[in-house]
Amino acid sequence: MALPGMRLSGPVPTETAAVPGSFLYHDDVLHCDGAPVPDLAARYGTPLYIYSEASILDRVRSLDQAFEPLDRLLAYSVKANGNLSILRTLARAGCGADIVSGGELYRALRAGVPADRIVFSGVGKSRAELEQALAAEILCFNVESEGELRELADVGREAGRAAPVALRINPDIESPTPHAYTRTGHRATKFGIPSEEAFRLYGLAAELEGIVPIGIDAHIGSQIVDPEPYRLSLLHLLDLVERLRQDGLALELLDLGGGFGVSYDEALDPPPESFAERIVPHLATSGLRLILEPGRYLVGHAGMLVTRVLYVKAMGAKTFIITDAGMTDLLRPSHYSSIHRVDPVRKELDREVRRVDIVGPICETGDFLALDRDLPLPEPGDLLGIHTAGAYGFTMASTYNARPRAAEVLVAGDKARLIRRRETYDDLIRGEEELLLE
Ligand code: LLP
């Protein structure tokens, strides 16, 4: 393909081990573990989400082991990737679930997550959702306001069953995350209860008939690679726990939330030990059970979005690679300016490297997957792999522009299994068609 443009860098690198996990080149072809990505794209079509079971299990194992000295529960945050087969894989590996809606409760239970390993987070739980979760006998409700506490107490009283409660404390900690939208631990956000109100609300929780306070909770944000904010958050919670104990209220659970970050580029991920060593010593003799709510850390690297190049278009100084996936499939680049590594699925060693924007088919200027990226210039029909798309990829997908959502595939070894079929046009109009007026 002879388009005008500068050669910006040298030959294509021959090995990619840059993003940890399961997507590596063998003979210049990207594989998911033992499965060649081009074969999967041919079989299941594009855009396609591909996940590695081995990667997920490996992350669960290493994170869990890092916290080995403690009584602990990894309550996987379902919002990162709620596919039933992914949830079942995690449940079988011993994980519980952190849910934020009745829909996520439904998914977690359907996938086989034991109810007594489910914690319910979120700032706006409806009465119906509280009722459903109480009836399911979940482990704990992470309550975020006095209003919610009273509502839940009412639900518990009516049901004749006391709801187990942790208060989500806002520890007022500035956690460095790549985007303001993923910071939740400081006062300017809607999340949690200010510490100075905690005492009064624990007192209220102990008095109200339909609830029983059993824990304390915080979640300071998402995509945090520095372990120090976790230590600060933990010390903040432990201080409250101690004062409550002196007041006669003994708590059993301490939930430190999720947010452990991963690297989206060439840097190494923070090892799980880096978080554990700031947390474990403070809890070792506390008698508290630790709950963590990791999402991205467990499934982020396990997923790749595979897209096919439709057109290559030069406009002035810019070259646009137009792909069949866009912001409707992977919203993160557009919504958070996040940078996902993109690799050609087949390395064509003779291609010149060009600085390109990789853009989707959606009618929005903000519809892009990568901007100003140096890439061996692809041709129409080529496949591109977008790394670290296992978390907040499919779950944030939409059908905007009436585009059916992608298929999802789970790879175990060299075997691939469809775990969500590609949506059809009929899926798009379900719920409307039968209501059409003649
Ligand atoms: N627990 C709570 C209460 C949360 O709000 C979240 C994420 C998690 C756990 C899991 O966080 P993780 O371990 O996955 O970082 N859509 C954004 C991330 C928003 C996360 C919202 N809450 C993204 O694509 O980066």
Side-chain angles (χ1 to χ4, degrees):
M1 155 142 312
L3 282 170
M6 263 186 337
R7 197 180 171 90
L8 288 165
S9 54
V12 186
T14 50
E15 210 30 74
T16 303
V19 177
S22 294
F23 295 90
L24 296 172
Y25 286 106
H26 302 298
D27 297 330
D28 291 334
V29 174
L30 212 48
H31 283 58
C32 175
D33 298 326
V37 170
D39 293 4
L40 300 178
R43 188 152 144 212
Y44 299 106
T46 57
L48 180 67
Y49 272 100
I50 302 174
Y51 307 112
S52 157
E53 190 179 80
S55 169
I56 296 172
L57 295 176
D58 186 56
R59 301 290 280 200
V60 172
R61 218 173 294 124
S62 64
L63 188 59
D64 185 59
Q65 271 170 13
F67 288 89
E68 173 114 62
L70 302 179
D71 181 8
R72 64 207 179 278
L73 172 67
L74 298 183
Y76 165 71
S77 196
V78 173
K79 65 175 82 61
N81 187 325
N83 182 288
L84 291 183
S85 296
I86 302 279
L87 292 177
R88 179 156 294 177
T89 298
L90 286 156
R92 288 195 174 150
C95 290
D98 159 54
I99 58 162
V100 290
S101 67
E104 287 190 351
L105 174 66
Y106 184 69
R107 279 187 174 278
L109 293 174
R110 288 298 288 260
V113 180
D116 64 1
R117 291 189 190 165
I118 295 178
V119 297
F120 196 170
S121 304
V123 75
K125 309 174 190 79
S126 71
R127 189 173 180 103
E129 288 174 322
L130 295 172
E131 286 167 355
Q132 288 154 20
L134 186 66
E137 300 188 38
I138 65 164
L139 174 63
C140 193
F141 292 82
N142 292 337
V143 166
E144 299 222 17
S145 63
E146 179 170 348
E148 182 190 341
L149 194 69
R150 290 185 183 279
E151 184 80 351
L152 181 58
D154 205 44
V155 167
R157 203 182 35 74
E158 228 172 57
R161 177 186 301 142
V165 161
L167 294 188
R168 175 170 172 180
I169 306 299
N170 184 322
D172 201 16
I173 287 171
E174 283 287 351
S175 39
T177 73
H179 198 281
Y181 289 177
T182 47
R183 278 166 232 156
T184 56
H186 60 101
R187 284 298 154 80
T189 72
K190 65 183 175 185
F191 296 103
I193 291 167
S195 301
E196 49 292 0
E197 278 187 43
F199 270 94
R200 184 177 65 78
L201 291 187
Y202 270 110
L204 181 64
E207 268 170 32
L208 287 171
E209 195 190 320
I211 50 179
V212 50
I214 63 160
I216 192 160
D217 167 50
H219 169 77
I220 52 176
S222 199
Q223 186 51 10
I224 301 170
V225 291
D226 177 5
E228 181 60 9
Y230 285 99
R231 191 181 69 90
L232 297 176
S233 175
L234 174 62
L235 292 180
H236 191 94
L237 295 188
L238 282 177
D239 181 53
L240 280 170
V241 168
E242 187 44 39
R243 285 157 57 203
L244 288 166
R245 192 173 292 168
Q246 285 166 13
D247 248 30
L249 179 63
L251 299 178
E252 300 155 35
L253 306 179
L254 186 143
D255 184 340
L256 258 192
F260 294 165
V262 304
S263 79
Y264 280 86
D265 51 27
E266 318 253 337
L268 285 177
D269 279 8
E273 292 75 22
S274 67
F275 296 109
E277 68 196 16
R278 307 285 175 115
I279 294 169
V280 171
H282 300 286
L283 281 174
T285 57
S286 67
L288 290 160
R289 180 179 190 202
L290 174 68
I291 298 176
L292 294 171
E293 301 170 354
R296 183 185 337 250
Y297 203 80
L298 299 184
V299 297
H301 288 315
M304 171 173 277
L305 173 61
V306 179
T307 181
R308 199 173 284 282
V309 174
L310 298 174
Y311 304 105
V312 176
K313 174 165 158 177
M315 300 256 287
K318 272 203 166 293
T319 303
F320 292 100
I321 309 299
I322 301 167
T323 57
D324 65 0
M327 64 189 291
T328 47
D329 302 288
L330 182 66
L331 183 62
R332 304 193 71 258
S334 164
H335 191 55
Y336 307 107
S337 306
S338 60
I339 294 171
H340 287 252
R341 186 187 168 95
V342 181
D343 277 324
V345 166
R346 272 181 210 284
K347 275 188 203 165
E348 309 284 354
L349 298 175
D350 56 337
R351 301 279 176 82
E352 70 169 310
V353 172
R354 186 88 64 89
R355 182 153 294 180
V356 300
D357 284 3
I358 303 168
V359 300
I362 310 301
C363 297
E364 297 273 348
T365 305
D367 174 30
F368 55 83
L369 298 172
L371 298 178
D372 292 326
R373 204 62 69 82
D374 293 343
L375 204 70
L377 190 64
E379 292 181 359
D382 285 356
L383 296 168
L384 297 175
I386 298 149
H387 287 272
T388 320
Y392 306 108
F394 190 89
T395 46
M396 295 181 82
S398 76
T399 58
Y400 180 46
N401 280 199
R403 305 187 76 88
R405 287 181 297 173
E408 295 177 286
V409 162
L410 183 62
V411 171
D414 59 359
K415 301 263 180 304
R417 192 165 68 80
L418 188 66
I419 56 170
R420 191 178 211 276
R421 61 171 175 74
R422 185 173 302 287
E423 284 181 344
T424 63
Y425 292 150
D426 279 339
D427 291 331
L428 293 180
I429 59 169
R430 177 152 309 126
E432 298 170 38
E433 198 191 15
E434 59 273 28
L435 302 176
L436 258 183
L437 295 178
E438 283 308 316

